[in-house]
Amino acid sequence: KYLVLHSLKHYEQVLPEAQFVRVHKSFLVNFRHIESVYGNTIRIAGTEVPIGRRYRALLQARMQARS
């Protein structure tokens, strides 16, 4: 865990959209490091990260565009 001075919304706007994707109200992930997606979970470096309902459609669209 990291302590940051800005909100995730701030980092979502500042970081490159092509590289980072918001997957949950508490998680902003580097798209390149996603190992797998199954159900409502993403695996990154062996760690499971939940996918929020409101972010699932965006993630699916990004995954399809990546293929």
Side-chain angles (χ1 to χ4, degrees):
K1 294 186 179 185
Y2 296 95
L3 177 63
V4 294
L5 300 176
H6 297 284
S7 67
L8 282 181
K9 183 153 188 82
H10 168 79
Y11 289 110
E12 190 176 13
Q13 293 170 348
V14 173
L15 293 169
E17 184 178 342
Q19 190 173 349
F20 290 87
V21 62
R22 185 84 175 256
V23 297
H24 188 274
K25 67 179 182 176
S26 301
F27 295 96
L28 179 64
V29 300
N30 187 326
F31 195 70
R32 296 178 187 173
H33 291 276
I34 295 175
E35 296 170 355
S36 62
V37 178
Y38 54 97
N40 292 323
T41 307
I42 294 173
R43 181 173 291 273
I44 298 177
T47 302
E48 293 186 354
V49 176
I51 302 170
R53 285 180 298 205
R54 79 177 351 160
Y55 301 100
R56 184 153 187 71
L58 173 63
L59 178 63
Q60 287 176 334
R62 293 278 304 274
M63 295 294 286
Q64 288 177 352
R66 180 173 138 180
S67 308

